[in-house]
Amino acid sequence: VISFLRRMDVFGETELRLKFLQARESWLNSVVAGVPKDDPYLHLTRTMEVLRVHLFDIVTQYRSIFSDDGDHLIGVASVNNFDNRLLFTSWLSKKVQEFLKILASDLESGIN
């Protein structure tokens, strides 16, 4: 899909990366929201497993699709000096912070 959108020249490189991360975040949030919250211990362990598996997949897909070597940008003017690596690292940092909030909440809820 990304290569098709690149050929259509609908979005710039940064916009493509942002759209990819937005779509993945929406999907990941729905998966995490589906984890039962009845038992804090089970909620935490299942959330950790869901995030471990799916974040690994998202990171792998992102790195595969958006290599930072710039080969796919040959001929594109470097007017936009935005570092796309910051976009991904900030998104990943946000996901880690969200997990830490879940961890703190479940620990306060009484994991023994």
Side-chain angles (χ1 to χ4, degrees):
V1 173
I2 297 295
S3 62
F4 178 71
L5 290 173
R6 279 186 179 136
R7 283 192 303 263
M8 288 182 53
D9 201 26
V10 175
F11 299 109
E13 187 64 21
T14 302
E15 292 170 312
L16 280 174
R17 292 171 186 243
L18 186 59
K19 294 291 183 191
F20 176 85
L21 292 174
Q22 287 171 337
R24 292 296 179 199
E25 180 170 12
S26 176
W27 172 78
L28 183 61
N29 288 343
S30 70
V31 172
V32 171
V35 175
K37 297 180 181 178
D38 302 335
D39 179 14
Y41 175 76
L42 287 176
H43 179 256
L44 181 59
T45 56
R46 289 185 182 161
T47 299
M48 285 179 6
E49 182 64 14
V50 163
L51 287 174
R52 181 187 67 81
V53 168
H54 296 305
L55 280 175
F56 179 80
D57 287 344
I58 292 170
V59 168
T60 302
Q61 292 166 3
Y62 184 90
R63 293 187 68 190
S64 173
I65 295 169
F66 303 107
S67 63
D68 285 329
D69 60 7
D71 287 344
H72 57 278
L73 296 176
I74 294 173
V76 176
S78 61
V79 174
N80 185 3
N81 292 330
F82 183 76
D83 188 356
N84 287 316
R85 291 174 294 186
L86 293 176
L87 179 67
F88 183 64
T89 55
S90 64
W91 180 84
L92 198 53
S93 176
K94 177 183 169 199
K95 296 281 97 187
V96 170
Q97 292 300 317
E98 289 173 5
F99 169 71
L100 291 175
K101 287 180 184 176
I102 292 170
L103 175 64
S105 173
D106 285 345
L107 288 174
E108 287 177 8
S109 296
I111 293 181
N112 294 325

